[in-house]
Amino acid sequence: MKMKGAKAVHYESGPNMTPLVDVVMVILIFLMLAGSFGGAEHFLASNVPMSKGGVGGDSSAVSIDEPIEIRVDSPSPDRFTALAGRISAKDGPTLTAALVRLREDLNRAGKKTADIQIKIAPARNVKVNHVVAVQEAAMLAKFEKIGFAKAH
């Protein structure tokens, strides 16, 4: 009895590479996405003044002002307190009036409004609407550079 399959030509194609290619593509896509999100952490914040030029440039330094930090705390869920140096306020209108006076004092001292930075630093228990109220108070006081810090 003769077997037909014994004389037929067999082609060995090797192992199936499709699952390997799928896994490699998933890893590649993950690394590309993770790499694009990590780009913002490339630079470190520093209080060192920046110079105007590079090597051989002008050695006079540009002054970088420390931002005015407004610490926001919440003694109860429906109230907040905002502290910034000598400023202490328990509501938006009071904070707005105090920030307007601060901006006017700084303008009289020779600082431009565009150069003044406000940094809002909420406590961990502060609700978002209180942080928004502090931001609105700073905007109503006509501050242009308003930022946020991590919760303290």
Side-chain angles (χ1 to χ4, degrees):
M1 170 177 199
K2 284 188 167 183
M3 297 181 82
K4 290 184 180 180
K7 292 194 177 186
V9 179
H10 295 285
Y11 293 101
E12 291 293 326
S13 62
N16 188 4
M17 298 298 285
T18 305
L20 177 66
V21 172
D22 290 344
V23 169
V24 169
M25 289 303 292
V26 168
I27 292 172
L28 181 64
I29 291 170
F30 172 76
L31 291 175
M32 288 182 355
L33 290 175
S36 66
F37 291 131
E41 299 173 4
H42 181 67
F43 299 102
L44 298 175
S46 174
N47 289 333
V48 177
M50 300 168 69
S51 62
K52 288 185 179 178
V55 176
D58 187 13
S59 63
S60 63
V62 177
S63 64
I64 298 176
D65 297 326
E66 190 70 28
I68 299 168
E69 183 173 326
I70 301 175
R71 294 179 65 97
V72 184
D73 291 314
S74 184
S76 68
D78 58 338
R79 292 186 5 206
F80 72 92
T81 58
L83 303 170
R86 300 181 314 250
I87 297 173
S88 176
K90 296 189 185 299
D91 60 355
T94 307
L95 181 60
T96 302
L99 288 175
V100 167
R101 285 192 303 273
L102 175 65
R103 181 185 50 80
E104 291 171 349
D105 290 345
L106 291 172
N107 288 344
R108 279 193 292 274
K111 280 194 156 193
K112 296 178 187 173
T113 304
D115 295 337
I116 303 170
Q117 300 175 17
I118 299 291
K119 182 170 68 170
I120 301 171
R124 293 193 188 276
N125 62 340
V126 175
K127 294 192 176 193
V128 174
N129 58 344
H130 299 315
V131 176
V132 170
V134 172
Q135 180 190 13
E136 287 176 351
M139 289 172 47
L140 288 173
K142 296 192 171 63
F143 285 105
E144 298 172 11
K145 295 181 180 178
I146 303 170
F148 298 91
K150 291 182 179 179
H152 62 273

